[in-house]
Amino acid sequence: MKIGYLIPEFPGQTHIWMWREIIHMREWGAEIDIFSTREPDAKTQAKHAFAQAASDKTYYLWPQPSLKLIRDIAWAIAQHPKGFLEMLKLCFTLDLKKQPAWKETLPLALLTPALAKEALNRDIQHFHVHSCSRSAVLAMMVKRLVGIPFSMTLNAKIEGWGGAMEQKFLDAAFTISITDWLLAQMKSDYQQLDDDKALLGRIGVDTTKWYPAETLPNPEDGEFRLITVGRLHPCKGHDILIKTVKRLLDSGRDITLKIVGSGPIEQELKALVKTLGLSEKITFTGSLSEDQIIELMHQSHAFALASHAEALGVVYMEAMSMGVPTIGTNAGGVTEIISDQQDGLLVPPRDEVALQAAIERVMDDPGLRKQLSENGRRSIVERFDSRIGAATLYQKLYGEYPNGESAAVRVSEEKAAVAGS
C-alpha cells in the first residue's frame, strides 16, 4: 500500500519529528509520497539538512494554474459525479467553528480535485494527515470524491483544530494521539469512538543521532551555559526564563543563555533582554539546523524550557537524549516525558523563583547533573526513540510491526550502550 503524507506548509522548522517518522517508515519498506498545502514562508521554512531535498519531492496543492484547476474540477464532475456531490454536501454540513462553514470549506473543495487526481495518478491508497484542521477537511473531501481513506495524527489540544472534531474522528480510519492526556480527552469527549479508532503513538527523537558528547562539559571550568530551544511564542515562556537569568546574575551567578528559535515575539524578547541589561549574557541564534542544535547542546551544561502549555515537547526529548540535564514545567504533556527528580526537574509554569531554584540545584550539584544526564538519556532511549511511535503507525497501516519487531521497537546497540553507561 502506497501512502500519501499530507502535511500543511511542509517542511517547516517544527516538522523534524514528522520527517523522522517518514524516514523510519521508508527504512521499513513503506512507499511514501509527500503532499502539502503550500510551501512555508521564509520565517517558518525548515533550516534542517533534509529540507531542500524534501521540498523538491513534495507535491504542493497551492498555487495551481487556474486552467489546471478548471480542468481538474471538470475531470472530477465527469469521472466522479456522485463523489463530487458528496464533497459539496460536506462543505455545508461540517460543524466548523467559523460560520458559515462554507466560506472555509468551498475554497478547499476547489483544490480537492487536483489533490485527488494527483493521488490516483501516483497510486496513493491511503492518506496520513499530520493535522486535524484544514488538511483533515481536504482528506475528508478526497475520501468522498474518489474513496481514498485517511488517518490523522493529533498533536495539540482538540479545541484548537477548528471544530467538526466528531466528524473528523469518525471519518478517519484511525487517529494517533501523541500523548496520554490527549488520548484520554478523545475517549472522554467522543465516547462513540471505537478503541481501534483512537490510539497512542508518541512522537520521539532519533537517539542514534541525538547522542551525548564523549565528555560532558564541566561548569566548574567557567560560566554556566544554559540553552533553550523553541518557537518564540508567548506559550513557550521565554520571558520567564530571561527574567530568571536576570535573577541568577543579580545573585552573583555566572550564567549565559542561548535562545534557539524564531517566532512572532522575537523583537519583544530582544527588547526585554536589552531593557534588563542582558545583551552580553543572552544570545538569540534564530532558527538553526538539527546539526547546529546538536553542536550547541554538546557545549551546554543544562537545558531549560519554561512553557506555559506543551502538548508533549520534542525539545525536552532531544536534550535528554543528549544527556543534557533538563528542566521543564509540569504543563501539558511534559510530565509524560520528565519524571521530576529522577530524569529531569519540573517546576510550575510562570514561576521564576522555582525555576531559579531548579537551575541553581543543577549548577551546584555535580551528582545531580550526572544522575539527570544518565537517567534522562536512558528514559528517552527506552520510551521515546522515534522508531517506537513510527512502528505504531506502520502497524496500523500494514497490520504488522516492521521487520517482525515488537511494539517497543528499539535499536539494540543503543540499549547496550545505555546499560553499560
Side-chain angles (χ1 to χ4, degrees):
M1 180 169 63
K2 192 173 183 181
I3 309 299
Y5 259 65
L6 182 56
I7 307 173
E9 297 186 39
F10 177 84
Q13 183 69 7
T14 61
H15 291 160
I16 182 66
W17 61 270
M18 301 177 193
W19 181 248
R20 291 170 187 150
E21 183 178 270
I22 291 170
I23 289 297
H24 298 322
M25 294 277 287
R26 286 174 170 170
E27 288 172 346
W28 297 327
E31 287 189 77
I32 294 174
D33 283 358
I34 304 174
F35 299 77
S36 187
T37 49
R38 64 190 306 163
E39 293 188 69
D41 59 33
K43 290 183 178 180
T44 57
Q45 173 79 36
K47 304 300 188 296
H48 307 299
F50 74 86
Q52 189 56 57
S55 179
D56 291 343
K57 294 184 178 181
T58 297
Y59 177 84
Y60 291 101
L61 194 56
W62 184 259
Q64 294 268 5
S66 298
L67 185 57
K68 182 180 183 303
L69 286 176
I70 293 171
R71 288 174 176 170
D72 289 340
I73 292 170
W75 164 83
I77 295 172
Q79 298 296 320
H80 304 276
K82 183 178 179 181
F84 189 81
L85 290 175
E86 288 295 319
M87 180 190 72
L88 290 180
K89 179 181 177 181
L90 183 67
C91 292
F92 297 93
T93 56
L94 272 180
D95 186 21
L96 299 179
K97 287 183 179 179
K98 290 185 178 180
Q99 292 293 328
W102 61 265
K103 287 188 176 182
E104 183 90 357
T105 55
L106 274 181
L108 299 176
L110 295 176
L111 297 174
T112 297
L115 177 58
K117 188 176 182 181
E118 185 68 22
L120 291 178
N121 288 341
R122 297 180 182 218
D123 196 28
I124 300 298
Q125 297 166 55
H126 184 98
F127 272 109
H128 185 66
V129 189
H130 267 289
S131 167
C132 295
S133 186
R134 293 178 181 177
S135 293
V137 176
L138 273 170
M140 295 173 76
M141 290 181 172
V142 169
K143 179 181 176 182
R144 280 154 181 76
L145 181 59
V146 296
I148 300 175
F150 73 98
S151 51
M152 301 187 296
T153 290
L154 176 67
N155 58 28
K157 290 181 178 179
I158 292 175
E159 53 269 27
W161 292 109
M165 295 309 298
E166 179 178 356
Q167 291 164 283
K168 292 172 184 175
F169 288 145
L170 289 172
D171 208 48
F174 59 88
T175 299
I176 292 181
S177 165
I178 68 168
T179 68
D180 281 320
W181 70 270
L182 280 173
L183 181 62
Q185 185 184 359
M186 281 182 66
K187 292 187 173 183
S188 173
D189 294 353
Y190 306 95
Q191 296 183 15
Q192 65 273 45
L193 289 178
D194 296 333
D195 286 343
D196 63 350
K197 283 264 192 179
L199 64 153
L200 177 67
R202 289 192 179 97
I203 59 179
V205 57
D206 186 348
T207 58
T208 64
K209 182 167 186 176
W210 292 77
Y211 199 86
E214 291 186 11
T215 303
L216 295 177
N218 186 351
E220 278 72 31
D221 293 342
E223 64 190 9
F224 190 88
R225 296 187 294 274
L226 187 65
I227 186 172
T228 190
V229 181
R231 189 164 178 255
L232 304 188
H233 186 277
C235 72
K236 297 296 183 180
H238 292 304
D239 57 330
I240 300 297
L241 185 55
I242 289 169
K243 293 173 183 177
T244 302
V245 169
K246 171 64 172 174
R247 295 173 63 95
L248 288 161
L249 289 166
D250 287 347
S251 69
R253 300 283 185 166
D254 189 6
I255 186 170
T256 62
L257 170 65
K258 286 190 183 296
I259 301 176
V260 180
S262 61
I265 64 168
E266 181 171 349
Q267 295 308 314
E268 180 181 328
L269 292 175
K270 287 182 176 179
L272 175 62
V273 167
K274 185 176 181 180
T275 299
L276 295 177
L278 302 177
S279 299
E280 294 184 0
K281 292 293 184 178
I282 296 181
T283 304
F284 291 85
T285 70
S287 295
L288 298 177
S289 70
E290 184 179 28
D291 291 336
Q292 289 173 315
I293 296 172
I294 289 173
E295 183 178 350
L296 286 180
M297 288 278 195
H298 278 155
Q299 301 167 9
S300 300
H301 299 122
F303 174 92
L305 181 63
S307 289
H308 311 326
E310 197 77 50
L312 191 59
V314 175
V315 291
Y316 293 110
M317 301 176 196
E318 291 170 344
M320 293 167 71
S321 182
M322 296 192 66
V324 180
T326 298
I327 302 166
T329 57
N330 51 11
V334 181
T335 55
E336 295 183 29
I337 304 172
I338 298 175
S339 297
D340 188 32
Q341 312 292 326
Q342 297 179 37
D343 50 28
L345 299 180
L346 291 173
V347 299
R350 299 184 176 90
D351 192 333
E352 297 171 29
V353 175
L355 183 56
Q356 178 183 355
I359 295 172
E360 288 177 333
R361 284 188 63 194
V362 174
M363 294 178 75
D364 294 340
D365 190 339
L368 178 63
R369 290 198 302 272
K370 186 174 186 294
Q371 172 196 321
L372 299 183
S373 174
E374 294 177 354
N375 290 352
R377 168 70 181 171
R378 181 179 295 109
S379 175
I380 299 305
V381 170
E382 293 180 350
R383 300 189 299 132
F384 291 102
D385 185 282
S386 49
R387 293 160 185 81
I388 299 173
T392 301
L393 175 59
Y394 186 99
Q395 189 275 334
K396 285 296 293 183
L397 292 173
Y398 296 103
E400 61 182 9
Y401 286 104
N403 304 323
E405 298 272 11
S406 66
V409 174
R410 294 172 176 81
V411 183
S412 58
E413 58 268 26
E414 282 295 299
K415 292 183 70 178
V418 171
S421 63

